[in-house]
Each structure stands twice: as C-alpha cells, then as structure tokens.
Amino acid sequence: MAQQVPSESSKSDTKTSSDDLPTRVGWAKPLVLYQNYWLNPERLEHIIPVREHFKPRSDDIILATYPKCGTTWLKALAFTITTRGRHAFAAAGHPLLAGGRQHPQEVVAHLEVPNPAGDLIGIGNLPSPRLLATHLPLSLLPPAVATCGCRVVYLCRQPKDAFISWWYFANSMRGDSSPPIEFDDALSMFCEGFSPFGPFWEHYLEYWKQSMERPRQTLFLKYEEIVSDPVEAVKKLAGFFAVPFTEEEARGGAPEEVVRLCSFETLSGLEHNQAGDVARGDSIVVGKSMFFRKGKVGDWENHMSKEIAKKLDDVIEDKLKGSGLVF
C-alpha cells in the first residue's frame, strides 16, 4: 500500500496510494480506513512517514488531540507557557498578538499537516526542546513516543460537544457549492465511529490507557476541566512541561496573564485571526476564523433533544465501559 518513504533528513517526492483501502463517503471528503482509523486519504502521504520516520526526542512536548477538542486553545497555552522567557505577555510584539500576527495553529508544528515549519524535514531541524502537535491516535505514532521519555499532553472533550463542533467545521469545509451534511446523518456516522480520526472512543482510550500506565509522560486532560479552572490548568501544564511558575511569577499573576492572553475573547477578537487562511503546505484550505466558533461547554444542548443526546450517550457508555474514563 505505502511506497517507500524518505527518512526524516531527506526530501519526499513519493505518494502513498489509498486505492486498496476501504473508502466511505459522507463527510466533507471521502475517508479511508487505515489501521482501524478513518483518515483523509490526502493525509496518508504525511501520516505514514510520521510513524515510520519521525524520531521523538526525550525533551519533546507533543500536544495530542482528537479534532475539535480545544486544539487551538491548547496550542496557544502551551506556546505561551513554554516561551514566556522570550516573549513578554503584554508586549505588542508577542507572536500571538497584533504585533506578532500569528495564529495559534501556526506557532506549533503539526506532525501530519505540512506547513512552512511542519514537515518532517523542518521538524527534524527544529532545536530542542520541540513543541509539536498531532491529531493522530497513539497507535499511529512511532512506538518510541511512549518510551523515549518525551511528554505527551492529550486533550479530549465531551463527545457531544466535540461532535457539534466537528459538524459545523465539516460543513464549513464543504463550501457553498456542496450540499450541507445533514445533522442526523452526521450523528449516525459519528456514533458508528465513522468520522475523521475516528472512532473517537478508540482515540480517547489509547491515550487514556497510556496516561494510566505512564502518568509522568502522559497528561490526560478534558476540555471541560480547563474551562472550569483555567488558571489551575495553566499551572498544571507548566509543571508537566518542567517549566513551573516561580513564586515570583505566581505573585505577579503570570498564570492569570497566560489565561488572559490565550482566552477565546482575546484571540478570536484579533483581526489577523479572522482574515485569511492558515499557512499550510498542501491543497487543504482552512480559514483562520474557522478555528474560533464558540468554545462553550454544553453547546450540544442547543442542538440535541434529550432523546437524540441519549443515542450518543449510550454509545459513550458502551464503548468506555470498564475503562474508568467517564463523561
């Protein structure tokens, strides 16, 4: 299926064929089933080299998320925490603010998404410690990620809210020329496990189990936990990243400054986050504003009746049963 792929230090001009993989339509683009996960076939030429050739380092920090679970927020928080020695929170030139004019999706290299700093060659050349991100399940990352000592933060979300956010995002990706994805059809596919990077429950569980086995290397967070106490979440992240806030920083309100700078209100209100597209190196175009919708906990209640919500709740209960992971 996969042709020979290059090493991390060489340039790739190969293509990965997905013709022999099960294919299904229904979302913005057809998906193929690869290693038990539904993926965008255009991503395979980048996903397969990640598993085969990405070399994690012991001081790497990898931000892993299922799509639409707070990736943009986590990238902003992690970047601001780990670079606070170089970028003052209030400085006009902070990379995330008006002077820096960078979108949170652009300041952290995404392993399987080619962009000006994010292909494997560029990632291999980044200085340590590297801050990286991925939507890949743990099983599609190199086995060394679990054993080399690098730190992984996994962020998930109440599946009902994650579904609503993904439904809106997928319809935005279809454009005006394609009919919208009907809500009931989307929910049925999501409940079947047919969604990009799905089944969602397998994605969640892989990292959940890893966090139980290696809690010093894998921090498992829920979006709702960050929303309920963002300052405490920022302190937890800083400690996990091995760059805890000093007593002086804590007294000076540094954790609160991180929360303020990275808040939905601050980042979504910046002109450079509302105009144009996120810089990428492939044909997939995503507008910067598409990464900011509401970010609200419990928004599913505005879209689902109790009967419809129960359908997804039953799937969640069944698939997570016995794992200790609950929503």
Side-chain angles (χ1 to χ4, degrees):
M1 176 186 57
Q3 298 180 12
Q4 184 178 359
V5 292
S7 67
E8 185 172 303
S9 61
S10 63
K11 184 177 177 63
S12 173
D13 60 359
T14 61
K15 299 295 182 182
T16 299
S17 173
S18 58
D19 293 344
D20 57 341
L21 296 176
T23 304
R24 184 174 170 182
V25 299
W27 291 101
K29 293 187 177 183
L31 303 178
V32 295
L33 187 63
Y34 176 74
Q35 300 293 321
N36 300 315
Y37 283 93
W38 290 101
L39 305 169
N40 183 330
E42 294 181 53
R43 284 276 176 262
L44 279 182
E45 65 176 286
H46 306 290
I47 290 172
I48 293 174
V50 168
R51 177 168 176 79
E52 296 182 351
H53 297 287
F54 168 60
K55 296 178 176 61
R57 303 171 189 166
S58 61
D59 56 358
D60 281 344
I61 296 171
I62 299 176
L63 311 176
T65 57
Y66 185 77
K68 314 315 298 176
C69 288
T71 307
T72 301
W73 195 14
L74 181 60
K75 283 185 174 183
L77 290 171
F79 176 81
T80 304
I81 291 168
T82 57
T83 64
R84 67 186 190 272
R86 304 198 303 270
H87 304 297
F89 301 135
H94 190 285
L96 293 177
L97 298 180
R101 299 187 62 80
Q102 286 186 275
H103 193 284
Q105 292 285 343
E106 296 171 330
V107 297
V108 180
H110 210 97
L111 287 175
E112 72 276 11
V113 178
N115 58 59
D119 58 29
L120 286 185
I121 298 172
I123 288 171
N125 291 333
L126 290 175
S128 294
R130 299 180 297 186
L131 183 62
L132 308 170
T134 186
H135 285 320
L136 292 178
L138 185 63
S139 59
L140 290 185
L141 292 173
V145 168
T147 59
C148 75
C150 70
R151 288 170 290 249
V152 178
V153 176
Y154 185 71
L155 182 63
C156 67
R157 190 179 189 182
Q158 216 299 336
K160 295 195 290 290
D161 277 334
F163 163 73
I164 294 298
S165 186
W166 181 255
W167 176 60
Y168 273 103
F169 188 84
N171 273 325
S172 297
M173 289 289 291
R174 290 181 74 89
D176 297 332
S177 61
S178 301
I181 305 167
E182 297 296 331
F183 183 89
D184 290 345
D185 294 338
L187 182 60
S188 293
M189 292 188 293
F190 193 74
C191 288
E192 291 173 33
F194 174 58
S195 61
F197 296 98
F200 71 86
W201 57 83
E202 295 292 351
H203 203 291
Y204 286 19
L205 285 172
E206 284 192 11
Y207 286 98
W208 171 253
K209 293 174 181 176
Q210 181 72 5
S211 72
M212 296 293 101
E213 296 171 1
R214 292 185 169 91
R216 292 185 178 181
Q217 283 76 48
T218 304
L219 177 63
F220 191 98
L221 296 174
K222 295 178 181 177
Y223 181 83
E224 296 76 19
E225 294 172 343
I226 302 182
V227 172
S228 66
D229 195 342
V231 173
E232 184 59 33
V234 163
K235 293 177 181 178
K236 181 183 291 188
L237 285 170
F240 185 72
F241 295 156
V243 287
F245 292 100
T246 65
E247 291 184 5
E248 182 179 356
E249 285 180 309
R251 287 194 302 268
E256 289 80 5
E257 284 296 301
V258 172
V259 171
R260 179 196 59 77
L261 189 155
C262 299
S263 70
F264 183 91
E265 291 74 20
T266 296
L267 295 179
S268 65
L270 295 171
E271 182 179 352
H272 68 267
N273 285 337
Q274 292 297 324
D277 303 319
V278 172
R280 307 168 79 106
D282 59 9
S283 62
I284 300 175
V285 178
V286 184
K288 292 182 178 181
S289 64
M290 290 171 61
F291 293 98
F292 298 97
R293 193 179 75 84
K294 286 186 177 181
K296 300 294 185 183
V297 172
D299 187 47
W300 64 267
E301 295 180 346
N302 298 317
H303 300 80
M304 299 183 188
S305 65
K306 291 183 179 180
E307 292 75 20
I308 293 176
K310 187 177 185 304
K311 177 182 179 180
L312 184 48
D313 282 337
D314 288 344
V315 171
I316 297 167
E317 181 179 1
D318 176 60
K319 299 301 183 180
L320 302 184
K321 185 177 181 180
S323 69
L325 177 60
V326 295
F327 289 93

